[in-house]
Structures are given as C-alpha cells and as structure tokens.
Amino acid sequence: MSSTKTAAICIIGDEILSGKTQDTNTNWLAKQLFDLGVDLKRVEVIPDDEADIIETVVRMSRTYNYVFTSGGIGPTHDDITYASIAKAFGCTLEDRAAAEREPATIVAPSHTDPGSMVAMRMTSARLRMAQLPYPSTAHFTPGLWVPLCVVNGNVHILPGIPRLFQAMLAHYLPDLANRDGLGTEPFYRRAINTNRGEGDIADALTAIQDQYAADGIKIGSYPTFGAFKQGGYRVCVTVVGRNVPLVDQVTQAIAEAIDGRVEPLQTPKH
Amino acid sequence: MSSTKTAAICIIGDEILSGKTQDTNTNWLAKQLFDLGVDLKRVEVIPDDEADIIETVVRMSRTYNYVFTSGGIGPTHDDITYASIAKAFGCTLEDRAAAEREPATIVAPSHTDPGSMVAMRMTSARLRMAQLPYPSTAHFTPGLWVPLCVVNGNVHILPGIPRLFQAMLAHYLPDLANRDGLGTEPFYRRAINTNRGEGDIADALTAIQDQYAADGIKIGSYPTFGAFKQGGYRVCVTVVGRNVPLVDQVTQAIAEAIDGRVEPLQTPKH
C-alpha cells in the first residue's frame, strides 16, 4: 500500500463566521478527497485577517501533503488571501495572470446571460486579482481567467464561490491524482442501518472495531434521531477502509451482530 | 462599550472530514453568537482522535472566552470526547449524570413515537455516556438526560446531532447571556445588493471602509454568481457593526456610491 496522503482545508471568510453563509465547499471537497484516498485531517474556518491566514497556511503547509484555501481572492478590500499567503511564504505579488494570458481571454460570466462569457473592463481592482504570488504555479480552468494558484508546492488558493471552487477543482484534481498516483487506493465506505439504539449495539461494535483496527478499518456509529421519524432507521453504522473485501467482510459481521440492514452501494457514490 | 467576548467552535467527527455529513451546527451557532454580539473567531473540524481533541480544546480554552465542541459524546467506541477533554484538563470521569438524576428520568425519544420519551435500559454503554468529566458544571435541558457539560470554565461539550445540539443551546444560551451580559450590544448587519460587478465597486468600497474602520464597521463584498441567474443581484455588500445608526449611515453611503439597493431588515433576522 502506498503511504496515505493527507490534506487540510482553510476556509477564509468573515461571512462564514458571522453565520451569513453556510460553508458547502468543505463537504464537496471532502467527498472528492475521500474518493481519491486522501485523508482530510483538519478544516479551519478563519477570518479575513492577515495574521490568521499566515499562521494557518504556514502550519498547514508544513503538516499536510495538500492544503486548500477557499475565499478572499476577489477584487475588493476584504480580499487579502493572495497578499497574505505571498507574505507567509516570502513571495512577491506579480501580474502573472495578465502576462500569461491574452487580454482577449480576460472574461467573466455575462450579466444578462450568465451562461456565456464577456470581455471585462480591466479596472485597478480587477488588476489586483491578477496579481498572483511569485513564485507559484498557476493552473488555468477553461472559461475562467483567475487561475488556481499553488504556493510553496502544496498550498492551493481557491475562490470561495462554490461554483468556481468546484469548477477549478473538477478540472485540477484529475491532474493532481495522475501526478501523485492518487485514487489507486480510494477509501471505500459501506453502511449498515439498524433500528436498535446505539447503547444496545455499542459493545458489539467495540469488539469488532478492536478486532480490525490494525487492518485500517474504521467503524463509525451515527444516531439519526429525527430521520427515523420519517421512516428511516435509528442508527447508521459505517465501515471505512481501503481493502474492499475486508470492508465487505466487516460489514457483514456487523450486520449479523446488530441485526442490521446493509445498504446497497449508491451510484453516484454520494 | 463592553469588551467583546470571543468564541471558537470545535467540530469533532470523522464523518464530517470524510464527506459523509455536511456540518450545519457551525452555521446555526454562528447565527446565535452574532445575535449575542459574541465574536466567533475560529472553527476547527478535527477527527475523533484523542491527541487532536486535547491539543485543540486546550489551545481554544486559553485563547477564547467561549469554546463549544460538537460530537463524540454517544455511547459507542468512536465517542471519545468526554474522556479526551477530561484528560486535557486533568479531570476524572465520574457518574455525575446518574448521580444527579433519578433513574426514572433517564429517557430517550421513543422509537415508535419519536415525539415522546421512554425509559431506557441502562447498558454498560449508556452508563459510559453518564460518565462526565469532573470537575465540571452540568446544565440539563428539559426532556434530555445528557447534560451540556462545561469543563475548565469555558469549554462547552455538545452532541453532534443537530436537533440535540440546537435544543441544548437554545435552552442554555439565554442563561449564559444573562450571566455575562451578552446581547446588550449585538452585531447588526445591513445588506446592499447591486448589479454592478465587484471590480467596478471595489474602489468605492475601499474608500468607505477606510473611513469607518476605526469605528468598528466591517464591510464585506460577496459576488453571488449563479444566484443572479435566477433574478437575484450580482454582488451583495454587507455592513456589520454594533452601532445601529452608524451601520445605517454607512449602508446609505454605499448604496449611493455603487447604485445599490438596500435590503429591508428580515424578520426573523436569519
């Protein structure tokens, strides 16, 4: 088995901390990383504050294989991610995007027809968005003029807008997977539902977890409350691992021990 | 003005990091804290891992006025929050809940009728849930036998299930607000929508933000993409502060500068 790659996500945004916005980028990326077999170890939500950004990305870059930041790369005064990350790693800020792309390709979704792209007037604020940390690697997504910028070899700077966040990563992750050999041993999850309570199944689960812990099998137990009100089950037990036959074997053992129902695999997986 | 109280949230759960579950407790609590005028400074999502839990809660308890943890207090093997936090602060684990409540009150939502509560069989696993860190303060919520347990004076241990997380805090936060004088100077947010792009309004926003930054006014700018496709606006600008007349004044100034529409205040606020 190849050594497991680890990842962390840094969500940069006052709007998440003030409750204005529900973060959904974490859940979307967590699913992608799970399918690639990358172990997402930590997520931190921090304010649009230079000191917070610097402390967090430096620590994460040192600790995990991949770091993904979300938010703060727009053209307004509260968008300080590029400058803060540049400072964190001793980079300068340079007009790299503008230099690497023809002016004609500097476009944005049309206001009247969001499905199409229109040329944008280059204001001083928009030029600020084109100022990327240097040295860095810029990965362009078709149809978007702001690149996914990678600093210090593993810090991936992404926008907070979910549609752009997802578009950039959907384009980039397959290349990353190919480069680093990810996805050859993805995580695999099975679920067993039961109407018995957590307190009643806990001892059986503990025994099975103890038996298989050394094989990299992780058993989780999640009461659903509310959910079984609508005809669902009371507790959902999950089995996660990379060894498919072993996950299936543990799943069967749990189903028998707790009188549970093994859920069919879902397509698409999520 | 009273000094601002700060808070941090620690979400404990492999199911969030693996993408199985979308965290919603953060957004719900962030809104409550905003209304109480408490400054939520940081959210961290960590695995069900003792070392991670200890490092995180000790650091947060030292740094912020209030810490809220979510998850890992059920009766199964993967629920290690009580024990880990006890270890973090040199507490023991004792049968405090069982000792403080009559056995007849140890109940759970009925399986056949989730609206009602039924007596629970005390298994060894359930007794483990009754083992709380000591010393700590236990706050009981009517209808729930697991208390909100507070360790080291400011670490609030909550379940991950949103319904229980919310029920406990809805019961507890008014008492906390009363004790600490919270809510007398809540945060106040106004929103201005515009169809002009972020790049076009950035310079005006920067000038206004610079003018009012010393007065505790925070201006945020959030492109909506997708949203304006369905008839919404292109950018939402927010003004947040504690001084209501000043927030209104800045809101008007921005609306005039960027040709924006001031949104009516919403009831309920969120």
Side-chain angles (χ1 to χ4, degrees):
Chain A
M1 180 184 283
S2 61
S3 65
T4 298
K5 301 282 190 189
T6 60
I9 300 174
C10 178
I11 304 285
I12 301 165
D14 291 340
E15 74 278 20
I16 310 291
L17 294 171
S18 74
K20 174 180 175 289
T21 304
Q22 160 80 58
D23 162 53
T24 57
N25 288 340
T26 294
N27 184 247
W28 187 87
L29 179 51
K31 288 175 176 170
Q32 309 299 317
L33 295 172
F34 185 88
D35 286 343
L36 290 174
V38 174
D39 197 2
L40 176 60
K41 301 293 273 183
R42 183 175 279 260
V43 180
E44 299 189 13
V45 187
I46 63 173
D48 299 297
D49 176 270
E50 184 185 277
D52 278 315
I53 295 171
I54 291 175
E55 185 279 322
T56 306
V57 297
V58 168
R59 173 170 42 82
M60 286 182 166
S61 178
R62 199 158 39 204
T63 312
Y64 308 102
N65 294 110
Y66 308 112
V67 179
F68 300 91
T69 77
S70 162
I73 66 166
T76 53
H77 65 282
D78 54 339
D79 293 307
I80 62 171
T81 297
Y82 281 147
S84 302
I85 292 181
K87 190 169 175 183
F89 297 106
C91 302
T92 56
L93 281 177
E94 298 190 7
D95 282 346
R96 299 195 60 228
E100 291 178 20
R101 309 286 278 182
E102 293 298 312
T105 64
I106 296 181
V107 295
S110 157
H111 174 212
T112 48
D113 174 16
S116 70
M117 308 298 273
V118 294
M120 275 172 45
R121 191 161 60 85
M122 284 310 283
T123 60
S124 63
R126 287 203 178 100
L127 280 173
R128 197 159 83 81
M129 283 186 79
Q131 297 231 317
L132 302 183
Y134 179 83
S136 68
T137 310
H139 299 268
F140 286 90
T141 307
L144 300 176
W145 72 278
V146 177
L148 193 171
C149 178
V150 184
V151 173
N152 203 38
N154 68 350
V155 179
H156 300 70
I157 307 174
L158 290 147
I161 300 171
R163 207 179 73 169
L164 300 183
F165 181 90
Q166 294 176 21
M168 284 188 183
L169 285 172
H171 184 76
Y172 172 77
L173 288 176
D175 289 342
L176 181 72
N178 192 45
R179 187 194 77 184
D180 290 0
L182 307 177
T184 53
E185 292 176 298
F187 288 114
Y188 175 65
R189 182 194 293 119
R190 295 306 302 254
I192 306 106
N193 282 316
T194 178
N195 274 326
R196 292 171 66 183
E198 270 207 310
D200 291 325
I201 64 175
D203 293 343
L205 294 183
T206 301
I208 297 173
Q209 175 67 79
D210 288 348
Q211 191 181 342
Y212 292 100
D215 299 317
I217 295 287
K218 264 189 171 177
I219 301 171
S221 174
Y222 305 103
T224 56
F225 276 78
F228 73 92
K229 208 166 171 175
Q230 283 88 40
Y233 287 87
R234 189 164 186 167
V235 175
C236 177
V237 176
T238 60
V239 182
V240 173
R242 293 168 188 277
N243 182 328
V244 172
L246 191 63
V247 169
D248 285 337
Q249 178 188 328
V250 174
T251 300
Q252 283 305 326
I254 292 174
E256 284 163 27
I258 68 171
D259 188 24
R261 181 192 128 122
V262 177
E263 291 302 303
L265 284 178
Q266 294 180 351
T267 310
K269 277 179 266 187
H270 305 298
Chain B
M1 181 184 280
S2 62
S3 65
T4 298
K5 301 282 190 188
T6 59
I9 299 174
C10 177
I11 304 285
I12 302 163
D14 292 338
E15 75 276 21
I16 309 291
L17 294 170
S18 75
K20 175 181 176 288
T21 303
Q22 160 79 58
D23 163 52
T24 58
N25 289 339
T26 293
N27 185 248
W28 187 88
L29 179 52
K31 288 176 176 171
Q32 308 299 315
L33 295 172
F34 184 88
D35 287 343
L36 290 173
V38 174
D39 198 2
L40 177 60
K41 302 292 271 185
R42 184 174 278 262
V43 179
E44 299 188 14
V45 186
I46 63 173
D48 299 297
D49 176 89
E50 185 185 274
D52 279 315
I53 295 172
I54 291 175
E55 185 279 323
T56 307
V57 296
V58 167
R59 173 170 42 83
M60 286 182 167
S61 178
R62 201 160 35 205
T63 311
Y64 308 101
N65 293 111
Y66 308 112
V67 179
F68 301 89
T69 77
S70 163
I73 66 166
T76 52
H77 65 280
D78 53 340
D79 294 306
I80 62 169
T81 297
Y82 280 148
S84 301
I85 292 182
K87 190 169 174 183
F89 297 106
C91 302
T92 56
L93 280 177
E94 300 191 4
D95 284 345
R96 301 194 58 228
E100 291 177 18
R101 308 286 279 182
E102 293 296 312
T105 65
I106 296 179
V107 295
S110 158
H111 174 213
T112 48
D113 174 13
S116 70
M117 308 298 274
V118 295
M120 275 173 44
R121 192 162 59 84
M122 284 309 286
T123 60
S124 62
R126 288 203 178 100
L127 279 174
R128 196 158 84 82
M129 282 186 79
Q131 297 230 318
L132 302 183
Y134 178 83
S136 68
T137 310
H139 299 268
F140 285 90
T141 306
L144 300 177
W145 74 278
V146 178
L148 192 172
C149 180
V150 184
V151 173
N152 202 37
N154 68 350
V155 179
H156 300 71
I157 307 174
L158 290 147
I161 300 170
R163 206 178 75 169
L164 300 183
F165 181 89
Q166 294 177 19
M168 284 187 183
L169 285 172
H171 184 74
Y172 172 77
L173 288 177
D175 289 343
L176 180 73
N178 193 45
R179 187 193 77 184
D180 290 1
L182 307 176
T184 54
E185 292 177 298
F187 288 114
Y188 175 64
R189 180 195 294 120
R190 294 305 302 256
I192 305 106
N193 282 315
T194 179
N195 274 328
R196 292 171 65 182
E198 270 205 311
D200 292 325
I201 65 174
D203 294 342
L205 294 183
T206 301
I208 298 174
Q209 175 67 79
D210 287 348
Q211 190 180 344
Y212 291 100
D215 300 317
I217 295 287
K218 262 190 172 176
I219 300 170
S221 174
Y222 306 103
T224 55
F225 276 78
F228 74 93
K229 208 166 171 175
Q230 283 85 42
Y233 287 87
R234 188 163 185 168
V235 175
C236 177
V237 176
T238 61
V239 183
V240 173
R242 294 167 187 278
N243 182 328
V244 173
L246 192 63
V247 169
D248 285 337
Q249 179 187 327
V250 174
T251 300
Q252 283 305 326
I254 292 173
E256 284 163 28
I258 68 172
D259 189 23
R261 180 192 128 122
V262 177
E263 291 302 301
L265 285 177
Q266 294 181 351
T267 312
K269 277 179 266 186
H270 307 297

